[in-house]
Amino acid sequence: MAYSTELADRVRERLSIEGNIEVEEKKMFSGLSFLVNGKMCINISHDNLMCRYDPELEDEVSEKKGFLPMIMKGKQLKGYCYVEPIGFQKADDFEYWIKICIDYNPKAKVSKK
């Protein structure tokens, strides 16, 4: 499983300052996933972030630098995307992606096991 350990450390550090959340790390999606309160929230895949966010933000999110749609079985998965490093190099951009993932987490459904 190839993922950027530096990016994982950055996400880990950022999540550690959030109050009232439980974070679990799990190797999945060919990378490292950060589950927040038992739900997949953000993932590190190679050098990219994989984000889970409110599908209602799709238009806004798709305009962001570094956005790549998540395609599964030939269809775009709304509410999920990859973000290339150019899209989160700046602290404000990184914060944007983390925040939309954390904000959506309470509304997100738990994946089937």
Side-chain angles (χ1 to χ4, degrees), residues 57-92:
L57 296 175
E58 195 70 33
D59 290 340
E60 171 189 325
V61 167
S62 66
E63 296 295 318
K64 294 288 188 182
K65 183 172 32 174
F67 170 87
L68 295 171
M70 186 171 188
I71 309 293
M72 291 194 85
K73 298 180 182 176
K75 292 186 177 189
Q76 182 177 345
L77 246 88
K78 303 273 188 213
Y80 292 86
C81 74
Y82 290 102
V83 185
E84 296 176 303
I86 189 98
F88 57 82
Q89 286 176 335
K90 294 180 183 172
D92 287 349

Side-chain angles (χ1 to χ4, degrees), residues 14-25:
R14 172 55 184 83
L15 291 175
S16 74
I17 65 170
E18 281 296 314
N20 300 320
I21 66 169
E22 182 181 314
V23 179
E24 176 187 355
E25 296 180 25

